[in-house]
Amino acid sequence: PERDSSVRQLVDEIYRSDPDAAFQWAITVDNINERRNLARQTLEHLKSNGQKDVARKLIVSSSLNAEDRAILDKLLD
């Protein structure tokens, strides 16, 4: 829980300036709901800035399981 909290703070600080790093950190969170929320935050930022393709590449190249990938990919539609 302490590590997840630290990662959450890091992601909140960097998702606008370094979304790739933020996403990579987000997907290391143990808590499934928190992991999805942090990843979603980063992907929504990319999407809103016209970088939907970058967001999709992050999802596809990630170590996430198929269910998480599908959930996050649906967000980009």
Side-chain angles (χ1 to χ4, degrees):
E2 290 176 13
R3 182 187 178 284
D4 284 0
S5 177
S6 295
V7 171
R8 182 182 328 109
Q9 290 174 13
L10 175 64
V11 171
D12 284 344
E13 288 293 320
I14 68 171
Y15 81 94
R16 289 182 189 98
S17 62
D18 194 349
D20 182 35
F23 184 82
Q24 297 307 321
W25 277 105
I27 65 174
T28 68
V29 170
D30 286 331
N31 180 287
I32 190 168
N33 292 324
E34 187 69 24
R35 180 175 58 239
R36 287 177 181 166
N37 286 335
L38 289 171
R40 182 180 299 121
Q41 172 183 335
T42 303
L43 296 173
E44 285 177 344
H45 173 73
L46 287 167
K47 180 181 175 182
S48 70
N49 285 306
Q51 296 180 304
K52 201 177 194 181
D53 291 341
V54 172
R56 278 226 157 81
K57 286 179 186 176
L58 286 174
I59 295 169
V60 170
S61 66
S62 75
S63 60
L64 291 169
N65 63 42
E67 179 184 3
D68 283 344
R69 282 190 210 155
I71 289 167
L72 293 172
D73 192 58
K74 200 174 223 180
L75 167 77
L76 299 176
D77 291 334

